[in-house]
Amino acid sequence: MEPCQPSFDLLDPVLVSIGPIPIRWYALAYIAGLFGGLFYLIQLVKRPQLWSRDANTAAAPYDRRFLDDLLLWVMVGVIGGGRLGYVLFYQTAAIWERPLWVVTGITEGGMSFHGGLIGVALAMVFTARAHKAPLMRVADGVAAATPIGLFFGRLANFINGELWGRPTDLPWGMRFAADPLCLERHPSQLYEAGLEGLALFGILVFVIFRLRGLARPGLATGVFLAGYGVFRSLVELVREPDAHMPEALQGYVTMGMILSLPLIIAGGYLIWRAFNRAPVGGTARPAEA
């Protein structure tokens, strides 16, 4: 069978090779996301008025030293959790069929957002306890910065020609070289970059800068979790369904939807909780008669 001719020549997944070591766009996307997120979080920490309603006592709940330590453990959580999550959620049989590939196959791609989220959550708990920092406020800062990493990560998926969408006859449908059917498909990677990355980042900017959301612990985290869960579930409607799902569910429910449902529920609870408690530096809500 001849390889599928893509709609246009995408960037080579390998930017440059240094001897036997390939430098891939996928790896660079993770670096850009992590350090871009760190830079943005530093800017938030430099604005103490965002973290409290009382201008006289406003202060960020952690400093640059804490963020540097957090970055290290978040990197471990993203890579380790993302890879293990991908294997457990999508390639379970690989654990006993080709266990070495679980580690070595990371160079081919294969990372799970939901696994990475669990890894980052553990990293936040570990770092917050080590520095005696308020965990929920650490989570709010990380949530505010995470869409930056999601944006670059989805662009890397597109460059790799992976995680394409379902067949479509829309004018922007694309053929991907690795598609064995060579069909015009939704560029679902770009949909996710726009929704999970740009749109979710914009929503969080509004919550943080216009609604002073960082003064309500848990609000930014809740908006991120619920927003990601909704956007991911919407894109799953046009993303190529998981082949390993039970046949009766194929076409209706995907693994991405199943894993996103708890995020939507948890996010909704955190939003409700944040608005039913007094903001930092604010006054408590009057009791109902």
Side-chain angles (χ1 to χ4, degrees), residues 33-46:
L34 287 166
F35 284 94
L38 174 64
F39 175 80
Y40 179 59
L41 191 45
I42 289 172
Q43 305 315 305
L44 295 180
V45 168
K46 288 180 179 179

Side-chain angles (χ1 to χ4, degrees), residues 50 53 202-214:
L50 294 175
R53 296 297 176 90
I203 292 170
L204 284 164
V205 165
F206 177 81
V207 168
I208 291 170
F209 288 91
R210 294 298 299 272
L211 302 183
R212 302 280 296 277
L214 291 178

Side-chain angles (χ1 to χ4, degrees), residues 22-257:
I23 306 299
R24 299 177 180 271
W25 285 106
Y26 198 77
L28 294 178
Y30 272 81
I31 294 172
L34 287 166
F35 284 94
L38 174 64
F39 175 80
Y40 179 59
L41 191 45
I42 289 172
Q43 305 315 305
L44 295 180
V45 168
K46 288 180 179 179
R47 296 171 177 259
Q49 69 274 14
L50 294 175
W51 301 84
S52 174
R53 296 297 176 90
D54 185 354
N56 296 320
T57 61
Y62 34 80
D63 56 17
R64 173 61 189 272
R65 178 173 169 271
F66 170 82
L67 295 180
D68 290 340
D69 197 13
L70 178 64
L71 175 66
L72 172 63
W73 291 107
V74 164
M75 290 173 62
V76 174
V78 166
I79 297 172
R83 183 59 180 173
L84 291 176
Y86 174 77
V87 173
L88 290 173
F89 299 146
Y90 300 99
Q91 297 287 341
T92 311
I95 297 174
W96 54 85
E97 290 179 354
R98 43 179 180 162
L100 189 59
W101 175 86
V102 172
V103 177
T104 60
I106 196 172
T107 59
E108 306 167 9
M111 301 286 280
S112 162
F113 166 80
H114 297 90
L117 180 64
I118 295 172
V120 169
L122 293 175
M124 289 190 300
V125 170
F126 175 83
T127 312
R129 286 186 176 180
H131 289 263
K132 295 181 173 58
L135 177 59
M136 188 53 66
R137 312 204 79 189
V138 173
D140 284 342
V142 172
T146 298
I148 297 173
L150 290 173
F151 174 74
F152 285 112
R154 294 311 182 189
L155 290 184
N157 292 146
F158 181 70
I159 292 172
N160 280 356
E162 60 189 4
L163 304 182
W164 53 69
R166 301 172 191 243
T168 181
D169 56 3
L170 291 171
W172 56 84
M174 299 180 184
R175 294 188 303 274
F176 294 92
D179 178 13
L181 301 179
C182 199
L183 299 174
E184 297 278 345
R185 295 181 177 274
H186 286 281
S188 55
Q189 315 97 322
L190 299 183
Y191 299 168
E192 292 188 85
L195 291 173
E196 300 166 7
L198 296 179
L200 190 50
F201 181 77
I203 292 170
L204 284 164
V205 165
F206 177 81
V207 168
I208 291 170
F209 288 91
R210 294 298 299 272
L211 302 183
R212 302 280 296 277
L214 291 178
R216 291 187 177 276
L219 179 58
T221 303
V223 170
F224 170 76
L225 292 175
Y228 177 87
V230 170
F231 287 149
R232 176 65 183 269
S233 296
L234 289 175
V235 175
E236 288 286 323
L237 295 174
V238 296
R239 186 165 153 174
E240 183 67 9
D242 308 302
H244 61 277
M245 291 292 290
E247 187 174 349
L249 296 178
Q250 289 186 18
Y252 300 97
V253 177
T254 68
M255 180 60 76
M257 291 177 178

Side-chain angles (χ1 to χ4, degrees), residues 273-286:
R273 179 175 176 268
F275 278 112
N276 281 274
R277 293 190 175 189
V280 176
T283 57
R285 296 178 62 180

